[in-house]
Amino acid sequence: MKYLFNIWQVAKRECKILRVNRIYLISMVVFPLLAMLFFTTMMDEGLPEDMPVGVVDLDNTSTSRGLIRRLDAFQSSRVVAHYPSVAEARRAIHENQIYAFLYIPKGTTDELLSSRRPKISYYYNMASVMSGSLLMKDLKTISNLGSAAVGQATMRAKGYTQEQMMTFLQPIRIDLHQIANPWTNYNAYLSTVLVTGVMMLFMFLISAYSLGMELKFGRGKEWLKVADGNMVVAILGKYLPQALIWLTMIFVYEFYLFGYLHFPHQGDVWDIIFLGLLEVFASIGFGIFAFGLIPSLRMSMSVCSLWAVLSFSLAGFTFPVMGMDGAIQSLSSLFPLRHYYMVYQITVFNGFPVIEAWLHIAALLAFSLLPWLVMSKIKNAMLTYVYIP
């Protein structure tokens, strides 16, 4: 009972600090809410639509104009300009006026009708991977449709049935089934991890900041006195209010995603709640560990910032970890966001049992227990260190 009473006293002290210092309200409530709204509304259409595309049509026949109309009808593409030469179209790409253009040389239709295999070209900008990939798919489809249209007209003139024509034009029919996210909704795929990464960044920083402020204003001895000199009690009491606030924000975000926006998920609600608990405890644990490793407000927050930013690259949701260099693959295991992403993909997104993600769950639990390694160092810093700006 004594330990519980001391934890309660430290928690009340921490609540007063949270109420007085506005940086906590801004970093723990305002900024996370802004991040939630920003990312989910930025990609609310799921996929980019009507991306600007140019055309260089030197053939200018009914067949080439038909191809251009089909390209303009695609969801991702919108033909915004016609250019008299390839050089001007390339200049438009360099000036970011368009993302891609289709080049149809003179005589294309004549060569198609005479079965001489004409060559049409398409150019796309891969500086933006998403737009480049989507437009490349549309332009490639249009290129294939050009030859298919002529072949279909020829076979129809020869009396072929529709089934016979499709056998020649498309000998293998693809039956595509996209699992878990059949709409290819980038919002449902990216926002769930991007916002989590942003919230982990704030959890890292606030966890280290709280300890750094005790050291900066010389309140460390008072803090330990309230905890009766027990460092475990001091840590539990200090971070209990913060953990409750972060859990509230996480659960609000999860309800917003899966309850209001109806993002697809195969896992049940307990998987989502369990993952939120792991996220909060692992993030706070890492922030405390960073300060214990380097008992300096400035340096510990710098380490937390660096670790959080690198997490976005090494988590694997933008570029697969298995495609990275072997050494980088090993380093990816040192980032909590990587394990969060894997648990989310396995249990929530694809609906597999929790046991399938046991290794990544164990890693998040290990991050939660990291403060045990630096308890004595944090206590020594509070009792003996002098703050140096």
Side-chain angles (χ1 to χ4, degrees):
M1 291 297 294
K2 176 186 176 182
Y3 292 137
L4 291 177
F5 176 77
N6 289 339
I7 290 174
W8 174 248
Q9 292 300 315
V10 176
K12 287 200 300 183
R13 175 183 178 275
E14 184 66 19
C15 288
K16 293 178 182 177
I17 295 174
L18 295 179
R19 187 173 65 250
V20 171
N21 193 342
R22 292 183 181 179
I23 195 68
Y24 290 103
L25 173 65
I26 295 171
S27 300
M28 300 176 74
V29 179
V30 177
F31 282 166
L33 287 175
L34 290 176
M36 296 176 196
L37 296 174
F38 173 75
F39 284 106
T40 53
T41 54
M42 180 178 67
M43 297 182 285
D44 59 345
E45 294 179 349
L47 275 175
E49 297 181 358
D50 292 335
M51 290 181 286
V53 176
V55 174
V56 180
D57 183 12
L58 302 183
D59 197 41
N60 197 25
T61 62
S62 59
T63 301
S64 65
R65 289 193 294 270
L67 290 177
I68 295 169
R69 284 194 298 270
R70 291 190 182 95
L71 176 62
D72 193 42
F74 284 152
Q75 181 181 3
S76 302
S77 306
R78 181 166 62 92
V79 177
V80 297
H82 288 70
Y83 298 97
S85 67
V86 172
E88 292 194 22
R90 285 175 62 90
R91 188 180 302 111
I93 285 185
H94 295 159
E95 294 175 355
N96 290 321
Q97 298 176 11
I98 56 175
Y99 289 128
F101 69 90
L102 178 67
Y103 170 53
I104 305 175
K106 187 174 181 59
T108 298
T109 303
D110 293 338
E111 293 185 11
L112 265 176
L113 295 175
S114 58
S115 301
R116 292 202 301 268
R117 298 181 63 188
K119 180 186 294 185
I120 65 175
S121 306
Y122 50 86
Y123 300 79
Y124 52 94
N125 186 357
M126 283 298 288
S128 174
V129 176
M130 183 185 297
S131 62
S133 300
L134 292 173
L135 290 177
M136 185 272 288
K137 185 177 72 172
D138 287 354
L139 292 167
K140 185 177 181 180
T141 302
I142 282 296
S143 303
N144 293 331
L145 285 176
S147 59
V150 175
Q152 188 177 26
T154 303
M155 286 184 279
R156 186 180 293 112
K158 293 181 179 180
Y160 285 72
T161 65
Q162 184 68 23
E163 184 177 351
Q164 290 173 320
M165 285 189 289
M166 292 308 298
T167 301
F168 283 103
L169 296 175
Q170 192 179 18
I172 298 176
R173 185 175 61 182
I174 298 174
D175 191 12
L176 179 64
H177 298 275
Q178 297 184 137
I179 299 174
N181 188 8
W183 311 275
T184 318
N185 189 328
Y186 280 80
N187 197 10
Y189 179 74
L190 291 176
S191 293
T192 49
V193 187
L194 281 172
V195 177
T196 299
V198 172
M199 295 182 75
M200 278 188 171
L201 167 63
F202 286 120
M203 282 187 265
F204 288 174
L205 292 173
I206 288 297
S207 300
Y209 174 81
S210 298
L211 293 173
M213 294 302 283
E214 298 285 1
L215 186 62
K216 178 178 180 179
F217 292 108
R219 301 194 303 246
K221 294 179 181 179
E222 174 201 338
W223 171 43
L224 290 174
K225 183 178 179 181
V226 176
D228 201 17
N230 190 318
M231 198 64 212
V232 176
V233 170
I235 290 292
L236 290 176
K238 186 171 188 60
Y239 288 97
L240 178 61
Q242 293 187 27
L244 292 176
I245 294 173
W246 284 121
L247 284 172
T248 301
M249 296 302 299
I250 292 295
F251 293 149
V252 165
Y253 181 55
E254 289 175 345
F255 175 78
Y256 173 63
L257 289 184
F258 303 112
Y260 181 74
L261 297 180
H262 302 291
F263 278 18
H265 65 94
Q266 305 296 321
D268 59 31
V269 65
W270 295 111
D271 294 331
I272 298 172
I273 292 174
F274 178 60
L275 185 55
L277 290 169
L278 289 175
E279 174 192 350
V280 171
F281 294 142
S283 301
I284 291 177
F286 181 84
I288 298 172
F289 175 74
F291 181 85
L293 205 61
I294 311 173
S296 163
L297 175 62
R298 178 170 56 86
M299 292 303 298
S300 61
M301 292 186 69
S302 298
V303 169
C304 289
S305 300
L306 175 64
W307 220 254
V309 171
L310 288 176
S311 298
F312 289 100
S313 300
L314 298 177
F317 65 95
T318 53
F319 186 87
V321 170
M322 65 185 68
M324 298 178 186
D325 185 74
I328 303 298
Q329 291 185 37
S330 302
L331 286 175
S332 68
S333 300
L334 301 177
F335 297 87
L337 185 60
R338 167 62 180 168
H339 300 288
Y340 171 90
Y341 169 68
M342 292 304 297
V343 177
Y344 171 76
Q345 286 289 306
I346 293 170
T347 62
V348 178
F349 202 67
N350 291 305
F352 289 102
V354 173
I355 193 64
E356 298 289 339
W358 71 269
L359 182 61
H360 301 287
I361 292 173
L364 290 173
L365 290 174
F367 279 110
S368 304
L369 298 175
L370 282 177
W372 285 98
L373 302 176
V374 293
M375 285 287 188
S376 60
K377 194 169 183 181
I378 294 175
K379 185 175 182 179
N380 181 54
M382 295 299 162
L383 294 175
T384 63
Y385 280 28
V386 176
Y387 176 76
I388 300 175

